[in-house]
């Protein structure tokens, strides 16, 4: 019998398994036997066999061996149950045996031992509890009904909401967070002691940036016939005494912006000669004039008299700049000459600066008189020291450099402007020669439109509020682009200048 041999060799664990299988055989076989042979005597035989198996099981529990012939010594006819007996897989509990637990570790050949020092207890069998009698479906049903939210759940929830609203002193329809209505106003005499807590560290509100309005139309237009259409000349200047000097062909005219009077200062004696540059001195009395005959003249505007003539250039003088008693001149001969007007004619040239390859068309001294900037038609910007040494030679522009301006409050900051092919204004640190910034004027939004031909020259009023431009259309146009000047004197001068503009219609 292979089954009996396997059980015998496996030890006590397999003995329990064999007994379980035997119980299943005892429970299953009588059902078939009862259906095939419903003899009443079989019930008695089944009961006797059942009692015998129980007795042998108890004997095995007390002994160290199990009678293995219990299952094999019974015939099917002896195991048939009574007709009223119904046994299923739960019949495992009917014979009073529990399946072996994986935690049970019974040693084969040894009996069970009591706990040391413990009292002796009766050796009883362990049964598997049956839960068939418990009502497990009712709690599950009630739990599902509560989750689904029946009528009872809704009533309980409504009651909870009512109690919560009553404890918070609010109505059930009132919203706790409402953003449509403002907070109620405090009582009339209420003082908030914490107001200083929120305002102690708050500084003054940042000032809103105001954009200044720039008028785009001219205030006045003056005719300027015979104005030479040459970009490299400098034919317009505005003195600190509020007098505009303009060269029209061979003649220099003075227009007093305060009174509106026009005076003729000088005229070239030879036919075909013309004025190429004008520049006021700081005293607003002396005017330097450059001619097409390569001469530099100094005129006393109050007496309308020439006080000095300085020969030294070999071609026309197109740019002039004052630095106290030093007058600098630049010409088509690519030279820059420094003249000391206090010396005699042949001794006046104190320095000759050579740094350009073509005509010098722009000259400007710094406000502190330590540096001279020169621009030429060779697209080169040169920075010179007061003694005449060249400090920087910059070739960043793509066209002739004519427009030059020094910052009035930072002596080493220079702005330079190129011609049509360049269209850029560049800012320089003249101490190091480094470019600080550049602006492409072709992309600027604010423009002053009025001239019908290109703009050749530009000058600013002494109060800084007005700019005058001279164009190839032979007109002078005045633009008040920088607002009213500060101070009563400045406003009075601006008012007088404005009234004079209205009275004058032509320079000549």
């Amino acid at each position: 019998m292979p089954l009996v041999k396997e059980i015998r060799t496996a030890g006590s664990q397999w003995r329990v398994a064999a007994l379980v299988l035997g119980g299943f055989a005892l429970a299953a076989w009588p059902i078939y036997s009862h259906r095939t042979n419903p003899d009443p005597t079989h019930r008695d035989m089944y009961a006797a066999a059942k009692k015998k198996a129980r007795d042998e099981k108890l004997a095995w529990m007390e002994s160290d061996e199990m009678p293995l012939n219990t299952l094999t010594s019974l015939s099917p006819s002896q195991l048939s149950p009574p007709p009223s007996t119904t046994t299923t897989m739960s019949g495992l509990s009917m014979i009073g045996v529990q399946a072996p637990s994986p935690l049970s570790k019974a040693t084969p050949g040894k009996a069970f031992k009591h706990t040391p020092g413990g009292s002796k207890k009766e050796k009883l069998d362990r049964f598997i509890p049956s839960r068939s009698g418990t009502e497990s479906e009712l709690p599950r049903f009630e739990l599902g009904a509560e989750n689904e939210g029946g009528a009872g759940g809704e009533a309980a929830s409504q009651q909870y909401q009512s109690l919560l609203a009553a404890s918070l002193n609010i109505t059930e329809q009132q919203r706790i967070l409402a953003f449509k209505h403002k907070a109620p106003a405090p009582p009339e005499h209420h003082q908030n002691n914490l107001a200083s807590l929120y305002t102690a560290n708050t500084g003054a509100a940042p000032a809103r940036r105001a954009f200044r309005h720039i008028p785009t139309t001219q205030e006045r237009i003056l005719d300027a016939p015979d104005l030479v259409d040459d970009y490299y000349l400098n034919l317009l200047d505005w003195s600190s005494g509020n007098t505009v000097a303009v060269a029209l062909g061979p003649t220099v005219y003075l227009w007093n912006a305060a009174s509106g009077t026009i005076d003729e200062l000088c005229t070239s004696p030879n036919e075909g000669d013309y004025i190429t540059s004008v520049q006021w001195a700081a005293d607003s009395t002396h005017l330097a004039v450059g001619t097409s005959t390569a001469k530099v003249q100094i005129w006393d505007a109050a007496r309308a008299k020439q006080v000095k003539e300085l020969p030294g250039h070999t071609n026309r003088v197109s740019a002039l700049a004052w630095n106290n008693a030093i007058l600098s001149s630049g010409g088509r001969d690519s030279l820059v000459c420094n003249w000391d007007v206090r010396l005699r004619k042949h001794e006046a040239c104190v320095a000759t600066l050579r740094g350009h390859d073509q005509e010098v068309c722009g000259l400007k001294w710094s406000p502190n008189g330590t540096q001279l900037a020169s621009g030429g038609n060779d697209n080169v910007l040169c920075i010179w020291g007061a003694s005449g040494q060249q400090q920087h030679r910059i070739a960043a522009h793509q066209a002739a450099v004519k427009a030059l301006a020094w910052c009035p409050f930072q002596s080493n900051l220079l702005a330079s402007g190129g011609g049509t092919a360049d269209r850029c204004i560049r800012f320089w640190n003249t101490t190091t020669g480094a470019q600080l910034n550049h602006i492409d004027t072709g992309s600027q939004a604010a423009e002053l439109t009025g001239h019908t031909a290109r703009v050749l020259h530009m000058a600013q009023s002494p109060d800084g509020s007005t700019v005058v431009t001279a164009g190839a259309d032979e007109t002078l146009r005045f633009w008040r682009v920088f607002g009213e000047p500060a101070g009563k004197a400045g406003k009075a001068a601006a008012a007088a200048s404005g009234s004079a503009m209205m009275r004058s219609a032509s320079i000549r």
Side-chain angles (χ1 to χ4, degrees):
M1 299 178 66
L3 179 60
V4 176
K5 292 180 181 180
E6 292 180 3
I7 294 174
R8 180 175 297 171
T9 56
S12 61
Q13 292 287 342
W14 287 102
R15 293 174 189 175
V16 178
L19 187 57
V20 172
L21 294 175
F24 178 77
L26 290 174
W29 177 257
I31 296 174
Y32 175 76
S33 174
H34 170 69
R35 291 179 179 177
T36 57
N37 188 12
D39 189 354
T41 61
H42 289 174
R43 293 193 297 270
D44 299 336
M45 297 172 61
Y46 172 77
K50 179 179 179 182
K51 184 177 181 300
K52 184 178 179 180
R54 186 182 297 111
D55 294 341
E56 291 181 355
K57 181 202 64 163
L58 294 176
W60 167 75
M61 295 291 290
E62 295 178 356
S63 63
D64 197 21
E65 295 183 359
M66 170 183 162
L68 298 176
N69 56 357
T70 301
L71 299 179
T72 58
S73 61
L74 298 179
S75 62
S77 61
Q78 294 175 339
L79 297 176
S80 57
S84 61
T85 303
T86 305
T87 307
T88 60
M89 286 298 294
S90 62
L92 294 176
S93 63
M94 183 175 64
I95 61 176
V97 179
Q98 184 181 3
S101 172
L103 299 178
S104 62
K105 298 181 181 179
T107 305
K110 292 185 180 181
F112 293 99
K113 295 183 180 181
H114 296 284
T115 304
S119 60
K120 294 183 179 181
K121 294 183 180 179
E122 184 181 359
K123 296 180 180 180
L124 301 177
D125 193 6
R126 292 173 294 174
F127 294 90
I128 298 177
S130 178
R131 297 184 181 180
S132 60
T134 60
E135 297 180 355
S136 59
E137 297 296 332
L138 179 59
R140 185 180 303 172
F141 172 76
E142 292 179 352
L143 182 62
E146 182 178 354
N147 292 334
E148 292 177 0
E154 292 181 358
S157 177
Q158 184 66 26
Q159 185 179 4
Y160 171 75
Q161 294 291 339
S162 301
L163 293 175
L164 182 62
S167 63
L168 296 176
N169 296 325
I170 60 174
T171 60
E172 296 184 9
Q173 292 77 17
Q174 181 179 357
R175 297 179 60 186
I176 297 177
L177 298 177
F179 302 98
K180 295 183 179 180
H181 306 286
K182 294 182 179 180
E188 182 178 357
H189 300 289
H190 174 73
Q191 293 182 355
N192 187 2
N193 297 327
L194 298 178
S196 60
L197 179 63
Y198 301 101
T199 60
N201 296 328
T202 57
R208 184 178 179 181
R209 184 178 180 183
F211 293 93
R212 180 171 48 85
H213 173 67
I214 299 179
T216 57
T217 57
Q218 58 275 0
E219 279 192 339
R220 185 65 177 171
I221 303 176
L222 300 180
D223 290 334
D226 299 333
L227 183 68
V228 179
D229 185 5
D230 194 330
Y231 173 77
Y232 303 105
L233 304 183
N234 291 271
L235 305 178
L236 181 67
D237 193 27
W238 203 328
S239 72
S240 58
N242 206 16
T243 300
V244 177
V246 56
L248 302 180
T251 307
V252 176
Y253 292 93
L254 305 179
W255 178 72
N256 192 318
S259 61
T261 59
I262 301 174
D263 298 318
E264 179 179 331
L265 180 63
C266 62
T267 302
S268 297
N270 301 323
E271 185 177 357
D273 295 343
Y274 57 93
I275 305 299
T276 56
S277 57
V278 294
Q279 182 71 38
W280 284 103
D283 58 2
S284 187
T285 301
H286 295 87
L287 179 68
V289 177
T291 66
S292 59
T293 57
K295 295 180 181 180
V296 178
Q297 301 174 355
I298 299 176
W299 288 77
D300 186 346
R303 296 183 298 167
K305 182 178 179 181
Q306 178 179 333
V307 295
K308 187 168 290 187
E309 185 177 85
L310 305 171
H313 288 278
T314 59
N315 209 324
R316 68 178 187 179
V317 180
S318 51
L320 297 168
W322 285 91
N323 181 23
N324 296 327
I326 302 298
L327 174 63
S328 298
S329 61
R332 184 175 280 182
D333 55 4
S334 71
L335 298 179
V336 176
C337 297
N338 290 340
W339 310 88
D340 189 342
V341 297
R342 296 168 296 185
L343 302 178
R344 297 179 180 180
K345 180 193 317 187
H346 299 289
E347 300 175 354
C349 185
V350 294
T352 301
L353 313 180
R354 293 176 172 84
H356 294 275
D357 299 329
Q358 297 185 31
E359 183 175 9
V360 178
C361 54
L363 283 176
K364 188 73 67 174
W365 277 95
S366 62
N368 58 4
T370 60
Q371 288 181 315
L372 172 66
S374 64
N377 194 24
D378 53 358
N379 310 343
V380 174
L381 170 65
C382 292
I383 308 297
W384 309 87
S387 57
Q389 74 278 11
Q390 188 182 71
Q391 296 179 351
H392 304 288
R393 190 176 191 272
I394 304 170
H397 288 281
Q398 305 300 320
V401 182
K402 177 185 177 183
L404 298 171
W406 290 89
C407 178
F409 52 85
Q410 187 171 346
S411 59
N412 64 338
L413 179 59
L414 173 68
S416 60
T420 305
D422 184 72
R423 303 183 308 169
C424 284
I425 298 176
R426 302 179 185 272
F427 299 88
W428 308 94
N429 183 343
T430 57
T431 302
T432 62
Q435 177 176 307
L436 304 178
N437 196 6
H438 76 282
I439 300 174
D440 187 352
T441 59
S443 61
Q444 294 298 305
E447 294 182 359
L448 304 178
T449 57
H451 284 283
T452 58
R454 65 174 182 170
V455 178
L456 302 174
H457 317 290
M458 181 180 295
Q460 188 176 11
S461 64
D463 59 10
S465 63
T466 306
V467 172
V468 58
T469 57
D473 54 358
E474 297 185 349
T475 60
L476 300 181
R477 299 175 187 265
F478 295 83
W479 317 80
R480 190 178 293 273
V481 295
F482 298 112
E484 294 293 335
K488 295 182 179 180
K491 293 182 179 180
S497 176
S499 61
M501 290 180 189
M502 296 300 295
R503 292 193 299 269
S504 301
S506 178
I507 292 295
R508 187 178 291 177

